[in-house]
């Protein structure tokens, strides 16, 4: 059994950017409606009325879809950890919490550019201080995730190996 994702189809936009994951039924209907072209087939068979079809592992849309705003990456702990590769952005250790670079108590906002993954130790050192009042230094400027980030969040850490070549971020 293992990964539920192995049953799913990676759908690419007509620009070949990853767009979503589709269930076998959804993939089949896209295929029969000629809305996708198959880039890779799986071994999973689905039967329609008079034929059996191999479910695609990767399909590309025959038309362009404008990704809706709803697909902006939600600002939450899990996604911050993913953006920061589960590393404390001050020391590189495993992340355990979130730090507001400019503390909320000092007017810092809750937005991508002001939050980083952080370990407990650095979080204690940082406390309610501004960064320049501590010995801590940011490893990189935190940015707002764009592009393919959100699909990585959907797919998680165990993408189907057959998808890999299509998941490369720009
Ligand atoms: Zn740290």
């Amino acid at each position: 059994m293992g990964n539920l994702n192995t049953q799913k189809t990676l759908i690419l936009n007509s620009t070949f950017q990853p767009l979503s994951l589709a269930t076998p039924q959804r993939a089949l209907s896209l295929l029969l409606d000629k809305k996708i072209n198959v880039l890779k087939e799986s071994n999973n068979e689905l039967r329609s009325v008079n034929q059996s079809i191999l479910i695609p592992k990767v399909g590309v849309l025959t038309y362009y879809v404008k990704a809706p705003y709803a697909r902006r990456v939600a600002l939450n702990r899990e996604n911050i950890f993913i953006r920061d590769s589960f590393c404390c952005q001050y020391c590189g250790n495993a992340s355990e919490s979130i730090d507001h670079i400019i503390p909320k108590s000092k007017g810092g906002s809750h937005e991508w550019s002001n939050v980083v993954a952080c370990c407990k130790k650095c979080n204690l050192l940082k406390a309610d201080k501004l960064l320049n009042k501590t010995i801590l230094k940011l490893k990189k400027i935190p940015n707002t995730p764009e592009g393919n980030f959100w699909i990585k969040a959907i797919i998680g850490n165990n993408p189907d190996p057959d998808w890999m070549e299509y998941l490369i971020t720009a």
Side-chain angles (χ1 to χ4, degrees):
M1 287 296 285
N3 195 343
L4 284 173
N5 278 343
T6 55
Q7 296 292 319
K8 293 195 173 167
T9 304
L10 176 66
I11 304 293
L12 308 178
N13 213 339
S14 58
T15 54
F16 283 77
Q17 284 174 311
L19 198 62
S20 61
L21 296 182
T23 61
Q25 291 76 13
R26 171 78 182 139
L28 186 65
S29 114
L30 286 169
L31 193 57
L32 293 175
D33 291 345
K34 300 194 180 351
K35 288 181 175 168
I36 54 171
N37 289 318
V38 178
L39 296 176
K40 265 189 189 171
E41 280 179 340
S42 71
N43 299 320
N44 301 327
E45 225 175 325
L46 253 196
R47 287 174 186 283
S48 72
V49 184
N50 51 12
Q51 55 187 335
S52 74
I53 292 180
L54 289 174
I55 298 301
K57 277 215 169 182
V58 184
V60 59
L61 286 172
T62 53
Y63 56 97
Y64 179 70
V65 168
K66 204 171 177 182
Y69 289 114
R71 283 183 178 155
R72 278 188 188 166
V73 183
L75 178 56
N76 57 38
R77 178 188 163 105
E78 196 188 346
N79 286 341
I80 293 166
F81 279 14
I82 293 172
R83 181 197 66 182
D84 293 343
S85 307
F86 298 88
C87 291
C88 172
Q89 293 302 292
Y90 298 119
C91 75
N93 284 335
S95 58
E96 296 162 292
S97 61
I98 299 300
D99 181 58
H100 288 85
I101 301 165
I102 301 170
K104 277 180 161 174
S105 63
K106 294 192 163 48
S109 54
H110 189 63
E111 57 187 60
W112 283 105
S113 59
N114 193 46
V115 292
V116 286
C118 184
C119 74
K120 276 200 182 117
K121 199 175 140 204
C122 291
N123 212 354
L124 281 172
L125 277 169
K126 174 91 172 359
D128 216 12
K129 299 191 273 285
L130 291 170
L131 202 51
N132 61 11
K133 306 281 188 216
T134 71
I135 56 162
L136 300 170
K137 283 201 168 60
L138 272 175
K139 288 186 169 295
K140 58 174 189 269
I141 306 291
N143 58 7
T144 303
E146 285 172 0
N148 294 340
F149 174 90
W150 66 271
I151 198 165
K152 287 195 213 157
I154 292 174
I155 290 169
N157 292 322
N158 296 304
D160 190 313
D162 282 331
W163 296 344
M164 291 311 286
E165 64 185 290
Y166 300 99
L167 294 176
I168 299 158
T169 35

